[in-house]
Amino acid sequence: MLQMIPPAEALSLQSLITPTEQGIASRILAKTSGGNLTLFAFDTGQGLAEHTSPFDGLVIVLEGSLTLTIGGTPVRATPGPVVLMPADIPHALEAPEACRMLLIMLRGLKAS
C-alpha cells in the first residue's frame, strides 16, 4: 500500500487539506490496487461534471453539503450519512456551499 499519510498518528481530516478559493482541492490519503481514499475540499459553486468510474465510491461529507447526481437521481449529502456511487453508473457532484468530503473508492464492492 502506498502511504500518503504517516502511520500510527491520529490526524484530523480537516487539517489534511486546504480549501482553494473558487476551486477544488484534493489529497490522496492511501492508495492500493483495490482502491483509494481521497479527501476533497470544494468551494461554493464548484463540482465535478458527469463521469463514470470502474470503482464503487462511498462519499462521506465531513462539513457543508453536496448534491450528488447518480444515474440521474439527485441526492443531497450532508455530514453523517454515507452515499454509494456504484461503479460504471454516471455521476456528478455540485457544492451549493463550501464543503469537505472523503471519497472511498473500492474495486469489487458489488456482491457476486
Side-chain angles (χ1 to χ4, degrees):
M1 176 163 103
L2 173 64
Q3 293 201 357
M4 309 303 286
I5 57 175
E9 285 187 38
L11 303 168
S12 161
L13 289 174
Q14 283 82 351
S15 73
L16 296 175
I17 194 162
T18 303
T20 303
E21 188 173 336
Q22 298 181 349
I24 301 168
S26 66
R27 180 175 179 186
I28 297 172
L29 303 181
K31 186 172 185 174
T32 71
S33 61
N36 59 58
L37 182 65
T38 306
L39 189 58
F40 284 90
F42 294 89
D43 199 4
T44 302
Q46 299 299 310
L48 297 175
E50 186 174 75
H51 60 282
T52 60
S53 171
F55 291 84
D56 290 303
L58 296 166
V59 174
I60 301 169
V61 173
L62 303 171
E63 53 186 53
S65 68
L66 286 172
T67 299
L68 303 165
T69 302
I70 304 167
T73 302
V75 177
R76 184 166 185 267
T78 57
V82 60
V83 179
L84 172 64
M85 297 185 303
D88 304 317
I89 301 296
H91 57 273
L93 64 86
E94 182 182 341
E97 61 183 302
C99 71
R100 294 179 199 212
M101 75 166 214
L102 189 61
L103 175 63
I104 304 166
M105 301 287 285
L106 299 171
R107 185 180 302 280
L109 185 62
K110 297 177 190 172
S112 50

